[in-house]
Amino acid sequence: MSTVQQPRPIEAKVKAATVGGAGSAAVITPAVLWVIDEVWFNGAAAPDVPLPLVGLVGLVVTGVCAFAAGFWAKHTARPDLGRS
């Protein structure tokens, strides 16, 4: 008879980094792109931020926010792993 292992819970740092990355992609990145458009690309016209810059800003903002959220999240104790 085989035994089924219980799945381990997802750690808090992983959850926080996921939410931070997704939230920044949905909210913070468009806000940063709007500021860039207003400051450097004459915001009165249609958004003129070049597509490669949009991708780079999205990559940097999402990465920084995911890292920061995971860094500041509370550590999950894992006594089940033991010390090796």
Side-chain angles (χ1 to χ4, degrees):
M1 181 178 237
S2 67
T3 60
V4 178
Q5 289 184 330
Q6 291 289 345
R8 293 189 173 132
I10 299 173
E11 295 186 16
K13 288 187 173 282
V14 175
K15 291 179 189 177
T18 302
V19 170
S24 68
V27 177
I28 298 172
T29 300
V32 170
L33 287 171
W34 175 77
V35 169
I36 290 172
D37 184 48
E38 290 291 321
V39 172
W40 287 292
F41 294 100
N42 190 14
D48 288 332
V49 181
L51 190 57
L53 185 59
V54 170
L56 184 63
V57 167
L59 179 70
V60 169
V61 168
T62 303
V64 167
C65 289
F67 175 80
F71 182 80
W72 280 302
K74 184 178 178 187
H75 178 72
T76 302
R78 296 291 303 266
D80 60 322
L81 294 180
R83 294 191 99 104
S84 48

